[in-house]
Every structure is written in C-alpha cells, then in structure tokens.
Amino acid sequence: ARHGGSNKILLFDSSNIGAYTRSLEIQKSFRRALSNDELYLVYQPIVSLRDGSIRSFEALLRWNHPKLGEVPPSEIIRIAERSGFIIPLGNWIISRALAQLASWHRDGVDVAMLSINVSAIQFLDGSLVSILGDKLRQYGLGNGVVEVEITETIAMTNVDESQAQIEKLKDLGVGISIDDFGTGYSSLSYLRKFPATTIKIDQSFTSELVENVEVSTIVESVIRIADALGAEIVAEGVETIAQFEVLQRMGCANVQGYLIARPMLPEKVAPFIEKVAQD
Ligand code: C2E
Ligand code: CA
Ligand code: CA
Ligand code: CA
C-alpha cells in the first residue's frame, strides 16, 4: 500500500489497533525514537529542467517504528503538532539535515542546497530561527544553502507573525519555499506579502497536466507569475516523461518526482550525483 492516506494505513495496519491507541503509541515513543535512530531522513533531488543539473535535495522524514513499522510522515507531523512534540522533533530534523549537509561537504559531495519541511507551529515558533542560526554557524555554512518549505495556509492565517519570521530567515540567508502551491487559499496579493524564493507546484496539478487543459493553463500561469516575482519554480510529483516534456515546453525551471529519483538514503546521494554528472 502507498504511504499516502493515513486512513488507509489505519485500516490495513497488521497490528490492527484502533486509531486512538495508535496515536498514543506514537506519542509515547517519540523521545525514544529520537535517541534510538528510529527516525531518519531521506533525500529527494530537485533537478534543473534546462541542463539536468541537481538544484537541491529535499529532506523527508521517515520512522521505522519497532511495533508499527513505517509510519507516514504526515501522520508523525500531525500527532507531533497535537502533542506538543513538534518543536523538539522539528529541531531534530533541522539538526540532522544540517549535520548531513556538513558531512557531505567534508567528503567533497557537492550538495548545493537542502530544502527542509517546516510545520506551521514550528514556523511560527521562535526556535526555528535560533536553531537554524546556531547550526549554520556551528557548521560554517554560508548563505543560500538551506530553504524551508512551508505550506501556504500557514502564512495566510498569521500574516504579521509570518512576515516577521520570513524577515529573520532572509537575514540568515535561508530561502522560503511555498510548498503544495495551488492547494490552499493562495491569492496574488498573498504572494506579494510573502516574498517566497521558491514556489512548488503541487503534485495534484502535475498529475493532471497532460490530460486536462484547464490544469495545464493554470500551471503555465503559475510559472509566469513565479518568473514575474523573481521566484524559482519547482514542479512536484513528476512521474512520466509526458509530464516532463509538457513542463519543459512551458519553461518550468525545475522538477522533482519519481521519474528523476525516489527519496534516497544519505549514502545513496554521492553515487546519484556521480551518475547524473556522467549522463
Ligand atoms: P511534501 O512536502 O509535499 O513532500 C512530497 C511528498 O511526495 C513526499 O512524500 C515524497 O516522497 C512524495 N513524492 C515525491 N515524488 C513523488 C512522485 O513522483 N509521485 C508521488 N506520488 N509522490 C512523490 P512523503 O515523504 O511521504 O511526505 C509526505 C508529507 O509529509 C510531505 O509532503 C510533508 O508535508 C510531510 N513531511 C515529510 N517530511 C517532513 C519533515 O521533515 N517535516 C515536516 N514538517 N513535514 C514533513
Ligand atoms: Ca515539501
Ligand atoms: Ca509538496
Ligand atoms: Ca504534499
């Protein structure tokens, strides 16, 4: 089964425990999981459509739970947000990702940028800016090596706080990527208020790009808007060559998806970069 909808996972979970028990089990094992290395990050490349070079890698959370097996990240984040564990978890994700980036750099593995997902609560919490600042300093990482991915709804509902956070992140040289663009309550005035460095077209658009004229018109407009705003554009969830080619024709700068590569363990990143360089 796909690890997408949490309801499906609950229904077909082999241990067959109820949703409440499962949620409690997850909550009570958070701390152990952090110290035990049950949680880990995988990395998915985002590549340039112009020349096939690697633009960045997105860090994605994984949990190999001893009782529950692989727990989908959307479920982990939801429960962490409700139980108040999201700040320590979010800090752990940032620490782990930046330690990984520093280690790649030490080994001469050329990862130019990491994209790190940040939850709404974490984004609005002051600890985000301080942990990012601390870790960038600790590892001697400069400007433009990290961007945080936030969903548009976060910023929409907390305009003042969001603008303040974005200012602080910009001062740190951290980019802001609007994730799942087109699925929330986005508007043009909103994009002006939140000067994102990157806009990510949600995979629900990518998946209908080839068959649906309305969708392809919308995607093309979003690409033009990003250009006009000086933001980078990334199309998510690219699975087929047909989608790839339509995006290329539209002048979409970057793509991410199973067609290029699935999220991979950190040790697979260097071989992947080498393979891309040879192609
Ligand atoms: P997202 O940020 O939109 O991440 C993209 C999701 O699409 C990932 O699922 C990725 O594995 C999947 N994906 C990538 N390419 C393709 C493709 O070609 N086809 C399809 N069908 N799927 C593709 P994943 O890793 O299960 O993550 C799901 C969501 O969980 C993420 O959506 C994000 O909202 C959240 N998440 C994951 N890791 C983290 C994290 O470290 N922190 C936070 N706050 N949220 C995270
Ligand atoms: Ca994301
Ligand atoms: Ca996304
Ligand atoms: Ca998503």
Side-chain angles (χ1 to χ4, degrees):
R2 215 172 71 83
H3 274 186
S6 47
N7 292 329
K8 278 184 214 138
I9 300 288
L10 292 179
L11 225 52
F12 297 120
D13 189 274
S14 55
S15 55
N16 209 19
I17 55 178
Y20 180 68
T21 321
R22 181 180 163 94
S23 168
L24 274 186
E25 176 65 41
I26 288 173
Q27 266 182 58
K28 80 170 205 272
S29 44
F30 270 138
R31 277 198 190 280
R32 181 204 67 216
L34 281 193
S35 47
N36 265 9
D37 269 358
E38 287 169 36
L39 286 159
Y40 58 102
L41 297 176
V42 290
Y43 298 87
Q44 188 181 31
I46 299 172
V47 305
S48 161
L49 253 177
R50 298 201 182 99
D51 58 7
S53 64
I54 301 168
R55 171 199 182 264
S56 58
F57 282 85
E58 178 177 3
L60 293 158
L61 184 64
R62 296 290 180 266
W63 188 356
N64 187 5
H65 191 287
K67 273 195 217 158
L68 306 172
E70 289 292 333
V71 183
S74 51
E75 185 180 20
I76 304 172
I77 298 299
R78 183 166 33 83
I79 294 171
E81 282 187 329
R82 284 187 196 154
S83 67
F85 197 68
I86 191 66
I87 300 301
L89 176 61
N91 287 344
W92 179 88
I93 290 168
I94 288 168
S95 305
R96 176 54 73 92
L98 292 190
Q100 183 62 61
L101 184 63
S103 144
W104 277 324
H105 287 182
R106 267 198 310 277
D107 296 343
V109 180
D110 185 18
V111 172
M113 176 157 73
L114 278 189
S115 310
I116 304 175
N117 291 285
V118 163
S119 95
I121 294 171
Q122 190 190 2
F123 178 69
L124 295 172
D125 189 272
S127 65
L128 175 66
V129 167
S130 62
I131 185 102
L132 276 168
D134 287 353
K135 293 293 160 185
L136 289 169
R137 235 172 292 121
Q138 179 184 340
Y139 295 119
L141 295 163
N143 279 1
V145 298
V146 176
E147 78 185 350
V148 294
E149 297 197 357
I150 60 170
T151 56
E152 38 187 340
T153 352
I154 301 176
M156 277 299 284
T157 45
N158 300 278
V159 179
D160 293 345
E161 293 96 323
S162 296
Q163 278 176 331
Q165 290 305 314
I166 288 175
E167 273 316 306
K168 290 180 192 156
L169 291 170
K170 290 218 152 160
D171 290 345
L172 280 179
V174 172
I176 293 103
S177 182
I178 308 283
D179 207 350
D180 302 347
F181 187 80
T183 60
Y185 304 96
S186 44
S187 71
L188 293 176
S189 61
Y190 156 82
L191 276 180
R192 284 182 59 204
K193 278 195 203 114
F194 301 98
T197 40
T198 307
I199 293 172
K200 295 187 82 173
I201 298 171
D202 188 64
Q203 63 188 45
S204 60
F205 291 94
T206 306
S207 67
E208 289 192 54
L209 192 60
V210 178
E211 310 84 38
N212 188 324
V213 181
E214 279 169 24
V215 169
S216 74
T217 308
I218 292 169
V219 168
E220 198 159 13
S221 319
V222 173
I223 294 169
R224 297 288 95 81
I225 290 165
D227 278 346
L229 293 171
E232 287 194 65
I233 190 95
V234 176
E236 295 189 294
V238 178
E239 293 181 346
T240 68
I241 293 179
Q243 291 164 353
F244 185 94
E245 285 173 349
V246 171
L247 288 163
Q248 199 161 37
R249 266 203 302 284
M250 288 176 173
C252 177
N254 304 284
V255 288
Q256 176 181 18
Y258 294 166
L259 180 70
I260 319 298
R262 293 196 174 239
M264 59 188 87
L265 290 168
E267 55 267 31
K268 302 282 186 205
V269 165
F272 178 79
I273 291 174
E274 232 158 83
K275 190 176 139 275
V276 168
Q278 276 158 16
D279 287 348

Short mmCIF file of all heavy atoms in Angstrom, two decimals, residues 175-227:
data_model
loop_
_atom_site.label_atom_id
_atom_site.label_comp_id
_atom_site.label_asym_id
_atom_site.label_seq_id
_atom_site.Cartn_x
_atom_site.Cartn_y
_atom_site.Cartn_z
N GLY A 175 16.30 30.51 2.40
CA GLY A 175 15.22 30.74 1.45
C GLY A 175 13.88 30.25 1.98
O GLY A 175 13.82 29.43 2.89
N ILE A 176 12.80 30.76 1.38
CA ILE A 176 11.45 30.33 1.76
C ILE A 176 10.74 29.78 0.53
O ILE A 176 10.59 30.45 -0.48
CB ILE A 176 10.62 31.47 2.37
CG1 ILE A 176 11.19 31.88 3.72
CG2 ILE A 176 9.18 31.03 2.61
CD1 ILE A 176 11.96 33.12 3.70
N SER A 177 10.33 28.52 0.66
CA SER A 177 9.66 27.85 -0.45
C SER A 177 8.20 27.63 -0.08
O SER A 177 7.90 27.15 1.01
CB SER A 177 10.37 26.51 -0.69
OG SER A 177 9.79 25.85 -1.76
N ILE A 178 7.30 28.03 -0.97
CA ILE A 178 5.87 27.78 -0.73
C ILE A 178 5.55 26.39 -1.29
O ILE A 178 5.57 26.17 -2.50
CB ILE A 178 4.99 28.84 -1.41
CG1 ILE A 178 5.43 30.26 -1.03
CG2 ILE A 178 3.52 28.60 -1.08
CD1 ILE A 178 5.02 30.73 0.32
N ASP A 179 5.25 25.47 -0.35
CA ASP A 179 5.00 24.06 -0.70
C ASP A 179 3.55 23.87 -1.13
O ASP A 179 2.67 24.64 -0.72
CB ASP A 179 5.27 23.22 0.56
CG ASP A 179 5.69 21.80 0.23
OD1 ASP A 179 5.60 21.40 -0.94
OD2 ASP A 179 6.10 21.10 1.17
N ASP A 180 3.29 22.86 -1.93
CA ASP A 180 1.92 22.48 -2.32
C ASP A 180 1.16 23.67 -2.90
O ASP A 180 -0.04 23.83 -2.65
CB ASP A 180 1.14 21.93 -1.12
CG ASP A 180 1.80 20.72 -0.49
OD1 ASP A 180 2.72 20.15 -1.11
OD2 ASP A 180 1.41 20.35 0.63
N PHE A 181 1.84 24.51 -3.67
CA PHE A 181 1.20 25.73 -4.17
C PHE A 181 -0.02 25.39 -5.01
O PHE A 181 0.02 24.52 -5.87
CB PHE A 181 2.17 26.59 -4.98
CG PHE A 181 1.58 27.92 -5.35
CD1 PHE A 181 1.53 28.96 -4.43
CD2 PHE A 181 1.02 28.14 -6.61
CE1 PHE A 181 0.97 30.19 -4.74
CE2 PHE A 181 0.45 29.36 -6.94
CZ PHE A 181 0.42 30.39 -6.00
N GLY A 182 -1.11 26.12 -4.75
CA GLY A 182 -2.34 25.92 -5.51
C GLY A 182 -3.37 25.12 -4.74
O GLY A 182 -4.53 25.07 -5.13
N THR A 183 -2.99 24.50 -3.62
CA THR A 183 -3.95 23.68 -2.87
C THR A 183 -4.57 24.46 -1.72
O THR A 183 -5.57 24.03 -1.15
CB THR A 183 -3.30 22.41 -2.30
OG1 THR A 183 -2.24 22.81 -1.41
CG2 THR A 183 -2.72 21.56 -3.41
N GLY A 184 -3.98 25.57 -1.33
CA GLY A 184 -4.51 26.33 -0.19
C GLY A 184 -5.33 27.51 -0.66
O GLY A 184 -5.93 27.47 -1.73
N TYR A 185 -5.34 28.55 0.15
CA TYR A 185 -6.13 29.73 -0.20
C TYR A 185 -5.22 30.81 -0.78
O TYR A 185 -5.17 31.92 -0.28
CB TYR A 185 -6.86 30.26 1.03
CG TYR A 185 -7.72 29.23 1.68
CD1 TYR A 185 -7.26 28.50 2.76
CD2 TYR A 185 -9.00 28.98 1.19
CE1 TYR A 185 -8.05 27.53 3.36
CE2 TYR A 185 -9.80 28.03 1.79
CZ TYR A 185 -9.32 27.31 2.88
OH TYR A 185 -10.09 26.36 3.47
N SER A 186 -4.47 30.43 -1.79
CA SER A 186 -3.50 31.39 -2.28
C SER A 186 -4.18 32.47 -3.11
O SER A 186 -5.22 32.26 -3.72
CB SER A 186 -2.45 30.69 -3.12
OG SER A 186 -3.07 29.77 -3.98
N SER A 187 -3.56 33.62 -3.13
CA SER A 187 -4.03 34.68 -3.98
C SER A 187 -2.82 35.49 -4.40
O SER A 187 -1.74 35.35 -3.83
CB SER A 187 -5.03 35.57 -3.26
OG SER A 187 -4.35 36.33 -2.29
N LEU A 188 -3.02 36.34 -5.38
CA LEU A 188 -1.88 37.11 -5.87
C LEU A 188 -1.38 38.10 -4.82
O LEU A 188 -0.17 38.28 -4.67
CB LEU A 188 -2.27 37.84 -7.16
CG LEU A 188 -2.52 36.89 -8.33
CD1 LEU A 188 -2.99 37.66 -9.55
CD2 LEU A 188 -1.27 36.09 -8.65
N SER A 189 -2.31 38.70 -4.08
CA SER A 189 -1.88 39.67 -3.08
C SER A 189 -1.07 38.97 -2.00
O SER A 189 -0.13 39.52 -1.43
CB SER A 189 -3.08 40.38 -2.47
OG SER A 189 -3.91 39.44 -1.84
N TYR A 190 -1.44 37.72 -1.74
CA TYR A 190 -0.71 36.94 -0.76
C TYR A 190 0.74 36.73 -1.19
O TYR A 190 1.68 36.86 -0.40
CB TYR A 190 -1.46 35.61 -0.58
CG TYR A 190 -0.64 34.47 -0.09
CD1 TYR A 190 -0.37 34.31 1.26
CD2 TYR A 190 -0.12 33.54 -0.98
CE1 TYR A 190 0.39 33.27 1.70
CE2 TYR A 190 0.64 32.50 -0.55
CZ TYR A 190 0.90 32.35 0.79
OH TYR A 190 1.66 31.33 1.21
N LEU A 191 0.92 36.43 -2.46
CA LEU A 191 2.29 36.22 -2.95
C LEU A 191 3.12 37.50 -2.84
O LEU A 191 4.33 37.44 -2.68
CB LEU A 191 2.27 35.75 -4.41
CG LEU A 191 2.06 34.25 -4.61
CD1 LEU A 191 2.05 33.92 -6.10
CD2 LEU A 191 3.13 33.42 -3.90
N ARG A 192 2.47 38.66 -2.94
CA ARG A 192 3.22 39.90 -2.79
C ARG A 192 3.64 40.12 -1.34
O ARG A 192 4.70 40.65 -1.06
CB ARG A 192 2.39 41.10 -3.26
CG ARG A 192 2.32 41.19 -4.77
CD ARG A 192 1.54 42.40 -5.21
NE ARG A 192 2.10 43.64 -4.71
CZ ARG A 192 1.40 44.76 -4.55
NH1 ARG A 192 0.11 44.78 -4.83
NH2 ARG A 192 1.98 45.85 -4.11
N LYS A 193 2.77 39.70 -0.41
CA LYS A 193 3.07 39.88 1.02
C LYS A 193 4.15 38.92 1.50
O LYS A 193 4.84 39.19 2.46
CB LYS A 193 1.80 39.64 1.84
CG LYS A 193 0.88 40.82 1.92
CD LYS A 193 -0.12 40.62 3.06
CE LYS A 193 -1.36 41.45 2.83
NZ LYS A 193 -2.55 40.62 2.58
N PHE A 194 4.24 37.76 0.86
CA PHE A 194 5.20 36.76 1.30
C PHE A 194 6.21 36.49 0.21
O PHE A 194 6.01 35.63 -0.64
CB PHE A 194 4.49 35.47 1.71
CG PHE A 194 3.51 35.71 2.79
CD1 PHE A 194 2.18 35.88 2.51
CD2 PHE A 194 3.96 35.83 4.10
CE1 PHE A 194 1.28 36.17 3.53
CE2 PHE A 194 3.07 36.12 5.11
CZ PHE A 194 1.72 36.29 4.83
N PRO A 195 7.27 37.25 0.22
CA PRO A 195 8.26 37.17 -0.85
C PRO A 195 9.00 35.83 -0.81
O PRO A 195 10.10 35.73 -0.27
CB PRO A 195 9.19 38.35 -0.55
CG PRO A 195 9.05 38.61 0.91
CD PRO A 195 7.69 38.15 1.31
N ALA A 196 8.37 34.82 -1.39
CA ALA A 196 8.98 33.49 -1.40
C ALA A 196 10.13 33.47 -2.40
O ALA A 196 10.10 34.15 -3.42
CB ALA A 196 7.94 32.46 -1.80
N THR A 197 11.14 32.67 -2.08
CA THR A 197 12.24 32.49 -3.04
C THR A 197 11.90 31.38 -4.03
O THR A 197 12.42 31.36 -5.13
CB THR A 197 13.56 32.16 -2.31
OG1 THR A 197 13.28 31.27 -1.23
CG2 THR A 197 14.18 33.43 -1.74
N THR A 198 11.00 30.46 -3.59
CA THR A 198 10.64 29.33 -4.45
C THR A 198 9.15 29.04 -4.33
O THR A 198 8.57 29.18 -3.25
CB THR A 198 11.43 28.06 -4.01
OG1 THR A 198 12.82 28.35 -3.98
CG2 THR A 198 11.16 26.90 -4.95
N ILE A 199 8.53 28.65 -5.45
CA ILE A 199 7.14 28.21 -5.45
C ILE A 199 7.10 26.77 -5.97
O ILE A 199 7.65 26.48 -7.03
CB ILE A 199 6.28 29.13 -6.34
CG1 ILE A 199 6.20 30.55 -5.71
CG2 ILE A 199 4.88 28.55 -6.54
CD1 ILE A 199 5.53 31.57 -6.60
N LYS A 200 6.48 25.88 -5.19
CA LYS A 200 6.40 24.48 -5.61
C LYS A 200 4.98 24.15 -6.06
O LYS A 200 4.03 24.21 -5.26
CB LYS A 200 6.83 23.53 -4.48
CG LYS A 200 8.29 23.70 -4.09
CD LYS A 200 8.73 22.65 -3.09
CE LYS A 200 9.08 21.34 -3.77
NZ LYS A 200 9.68 20.37 -2.80
N ILE A 201 4.84 23.80 -7.32
CA ILE A 201 3.54 23.42 -7.87
C ILE A 201 3.17 22.04 -7.34
O ILE A 201 3.92 21.07 -7.51
CB ILE A 201 3.60 23.40 -9.41
CG1 ILE A 201 3.91 24.80 -9.95
CG2 ILE A 201 2.29 22.85 -9.99
CD1 ILE A 201 4.21 24.84 -11.44
N ASP A 202 2.01 21.95 -6.70
CA ASP A 202 1.61 20.70 -6.05
C ASP A 202 1.45 19.56 -7.04
O ASP A 202 1.09 19.76 -8.20
CB ASP A 202 0.30 20.90 -5.30
CG ASP A 202 -0.06 19.70 -4.45
OD1 ASP A 202 0.70 19.42 -3.51
OD2 ASP A 202 -1.07 19.03 -4.75
N GLN A 203 1.69 18.34 -6.54
CA GLN A 203 1.64 17.19 -7.45
C GLN A 203 0.25 16.87 -7.98
O GLN A 203 0.12 16.21 -9.02
CB GLN A 203 2.30 15.96 -6.82
CG GLN A 203 1.64 15.42 -5.58
CD GLN A 203 2.53 14.33 -4.95
OE1 GLN A 203 3.73 14.45 -4.82
NE2 GLN A 203 1.91 13.22 -4.59
N SER A 204 -0.80 17.39 -7.32
CA SER A 204 -2.15 17.18 -7.87
C SER A 204 -2.29 17.90 -9.22
O SER A 204 -3.06 17.46 -10.07
CB SER A 204 -3.19 17.67 -6.87
OG SER A 204 -3.03 19.04 -6.59
N PHE A 205 -1.56 18.99 -9.42
CA PHE A 205 -1.57 19.68 -10.71
C PHE A 205 -0.72 18.91 -11.73
O PHE A 205 -1.14 18.69 -12.86
CB PHE A 205 -1.05 21.12 -10.58
CG PHE A 205 -1.98 22.01 -9.81
CD1 PHE A 205 -1.81 22.19 -8.45
CD2 PHE A 205 -3.03 22.64 -10.45
CE1 PHE A 205 -2.68 22.99 -7.74
CE2 PHE A 205 -3.90 23.45 -9.75
CZ PHE A 205 -3.73 23.62 -8.38
N THR A 206 0.46 18.51 -11.27
CA THR A 206 1.37 17.79 -12.17
C THR A 206 0.70 16.54 -12.73
O THR A 206 0.83 16.23 -13.91
CB THR A 206 2.66 17.39 -11.42
OG1 THR A 206 3.22 18.57 -10.84
CG2 THR A 206 3.67 16.75 -12.35
N SER A 207 -0.06 15.85 -11.88
CA SER A 207 -0.63 14.57 -12.31
C SER A 207 -1.70 14.73 -13.38
O SER A 207 -1.98 13.80 -14.12
CB SER A 207 -1.18 13.80 -11.10
OG SER A 207 -2.29 14.49 -10.57
N GLU A 208 -2.31 15.93 -13.47
CA GLU A 208 -3.36 16.13 -14.49
C GLU A 208 -2.92 17.02 -15.65
O GLU A 208 -3.71 17.35 -16.53
CB GLU A 208 -4.60 16.74 -13.83
CG GLU A 208 -5.33 15.76 -12.94
CD GLU A 208 -6.69 16.30 -12.54
OE1 GLU A 208 -7.48 16.67 -13.43
OE2 GLU A 208 -6.93 16.38 -11.33
N LEU A 209 -1.66 17.38 -15.60
CA LEU A 209 -1.09 18.33 -16.54
C LEU A 209 -1.28 17.93 -18.00
O LEU A 209 -1.56 18.77 -18.86
CB LEU A 209 0.41 18.39 -16.23
CG LEU A 209 1.27 19.46 -16.83
CD1 LEU A 209 0.76 20.82 -16.41
CD2 LEU A 209 2.70 19.26 -16.34
N VAL A 210 -1.14 16.65 -18.28
CA VAL A 210 -1.12 16.20 -19.67
C VAL A 210 -2.53 16.10 -20.26
O VAL A 210 -2.76 16.49 -21.40
CB VAL A 210 -0.37 14.85 -19.79
CG1 VAL A 210 -0.40 14.35 -21.22
CG2 VAL A 210 1.07 15.00 -19.31
N GLU A 211 -3.50 15.64 -19.46
CA GLU A 211 -4.85 15.39 -19.99
C GLU A 211 -5.76 16.60 -19.88
O GLU A 211 -6.71 16.73 -20.64
CB GLU A 211 -5.54 14.23 -19.27
CG GLU A 211 -4.74 12.95 -19.13
CD GLU A 211 -3.80 12.97 -17.95
OE1 GLU A 211 -4.19 13.52 -16.90
OE2 GLU A 211 -2.67 12.45 -18.07
N ASN A 212 -5.52 17.44 -18.87
CA ASN A 212 -6.50 18.46 -18.53
C ASN A 212 -6.02 19.86 -18.94
O ASN A 212 -5.07 20.40 -18.40
CB ASN A 212 -6.75 18.39 -17.02
CG ASN A 212 -7.89 19.28 -16.56
OD1 ASN A 212 -8.08 20.36 -17.08
ND2 ASN A 212 -8.64 18.80 -15.58
N VAL A 213 -6.73 20.43 -19.92
CA VAL A 213 -6.31 21.73 -20.47
C VAL A 213 -6.37 22.84 -19.43
O VAL A 213 -5.51 23.72 -19.38
CB VAL A 213 -7.19 22.12 -21.68
CG1 VAL A 213 -6.74 23.45 -22.27
CG2 VAL A 213 -7.12 21.04 -22.75
N GLU A 214 -7.42 22.81 -18.58
CA GLU A 214 -7.53 23.84 -17.54
C GLU A 214 -6.32 23.79 -16.61
O GLU A 214 -5.74 24.82 -16.25
CB GLU A 214 -8.81 23.65 -16.73
CG GLU A 214 -10.02 24.23 -17.43
CD GLU A 214 -11.32 23.80 -16.77
OE1 GLU A 214 -11.30 23.46 -15.56
OE2 GLU A 214 -12.34 23.80 -17.47
N VAL A 215 -5.98 22.57 -16.21
CA VAL A 215 -4.84 22.41 -15.29
C VAL A 215 -3.56 22.91 -15.95
O VAL A 215 -2.77 23.64 -15.33
CB VAL A 215 -4.70 20.94 -14.84
CG1 VAL A 215 -3.37 20.72 -14.13
CG2 VAL A 215 -5.85 20.55 -13.93
N SER A 216 -3.37 22.57 -17.21
CA SER A 216 -2.13 23.00 -17.85
C SER A 216 -2.08 24.51 -18.02
O SER A 216 -1.03 25.14 -17.91
CB SER A 216 -1.90 22.27 -19.18
OG SER A 216 -2.76 22.75 -20.16
N THR A 217 -3.25 25.13 -18.23
CA THR A 217 -3.30 26.60 -18.31
C THR A 217 -2.93 27.22 -16.96
O THR A 217 -2.16 28.20 -16.90
CB THR A 217 -4.71 27.07 -18.72
OG1 THR A 217 -5.09 26.38 -19.91
CG2 THR A 217 -4.74 28.57 -18.97
N ILE A 218 -3.45 26.64 -15.89
CA ILE A 218 -3.13 27.16 -14.56
C ILE A 218 -1.63 27.03 -14.28
O ILE A 218 -0.98 27.97 -13.83
CB ILE A 218 -3.94 26.40 -13.47
CG1 ILE A 218 -5.43 26.74 -13.60
CG2 ILE A 218 -3.43 26.74 -12.07
CD1 ILE A 218 -6.34 25.86 -12.75
N VAL A 219 -1.09 25.85 -14.57
CA VAL A 219 0.33 25.61 -14.30
C VAL A 219 1.19 26.60 -15.07
O VAL A 219 2.14 27.19 -14.54
CB VAL A 219 0.72 24.15 -14.62
CG1 VAL A 219 2.23 23.98 -14.62
CG2 VAL A 219 0.07 23.20 -13.62
N GLU A 220 0.82 26.80 -16.33
CA GLU A 220 1.60 27.74 -17.13
C GLU A 220 1.54 29.16 -16.54
O GLU A 220 2.55 29.87 -16.50
CB GLU A 220 1.10 27.74 -18.59
CG GLU A 220 2.09 28.34 -19.54
CD GLU A 220 1.88 27.90 -20.99
OE1 GLU A 220 0.80 27.32 -21.31
OE2 GLU A 220 2.78 28.13 -21.80
N SER A 221 0.36 29.55 -16.05
CA SER A 221 0.24 30.88 -15.42
C SER A 221 1.10 30.97 -14.16
O SER A 221 1.71 32.00 -13.90
CB SER A 221 -1.20 31.19 -15.04
OG SER A 221 -2.07 30.76 -16.04
N VAL A 222 1.10 29.91 -13.37
CA VAL A 222 1.89 29.94 -12.14
C VAL A 222 3.38 30.09 -12.48
O VAL A 222 4.11 30.83 -11.81
CB VAL A 222 1.64 28.67 -11.28
CG1 VAL A 222 2.60 28.62 -10.09
CG2 VAL A 222 0.21 28.62 -10.79
N ILE A 223 3.81 29.42 -13.54
CA ILE A 223 5.21 29.55 -13.97
C ILE A 223 5.51 31.01 -14.34
O ILE A 223 6.53 31.58 -13.94
CB ILE A 223 5.51 28.60 -15.14
CG1 ILE A 223 5.41 27.14 -14.67
CG2 ILE A 223 6.89 28.87 -15.74
CD1 ILE A 223 5.42 26.11 -15.80
N ARG A 224 4.58 31.64 -15.09
CA ARG A 224 4.78 33.04 -15.48
C ARG A 224 4.79 33.97 -14.26
O ARG A 224 5.58 34.89 -14.15
CB ARG A 224 3.66 33.51 -16.43
CG ARG A 224 3.55 32.80 -17.77
CD ARG A 224 4.66 33.14 -18.74
NE ARG A 224 5.77 32.17 -18.69
CZ ARG A 224 5.77 30.98 -19.31
NH1 ARG A 224 4.77 30.58 -20.05
NH2 ARG A 224 6.81 30.16 -19.19
N ILE A 225 3.87 33.68 -13.30
CA ILE A 225 3.81 34.52 -12.09
C ILE A 225 5.11 34.41 -11.30
O ILE A 225 5.65 35.41 -10.85
CB ILE A 225 2.60 34.10 -11.21
CG1 ILE A 225 1.29 34.51 -11.90
CG2 ILE A 225 2.69 34.71 -9.82
CD1 ILE A 225 0.05 33.85 -11.31
N ALA A 226 5.60 33.19 -11.15
CA ALA A 226 6.87 32.99 -10.43
C ALA A 226 7.98 33.79 -11.11
O ALA A 226 8.76 34.49 -10.45
CB ALA A 226 7.22 31.51 -10.37
N ASP A 227 8.03 33.72 -12.43
CA ASP A 227 9.03 34.49 -13.19
C ASP A 227 8.90 35.98 -12.87
O ASP A 227 9.89 36.65 -12.57
CB ASP A 227 8.82 34.31 -14.70
CG ASP A 227 9.46 33.03 -15.21
OD1 ASP A 227 10.27 32.44 -14.45
OD2 ASP A 227 9.16 32.62 -16.35
#
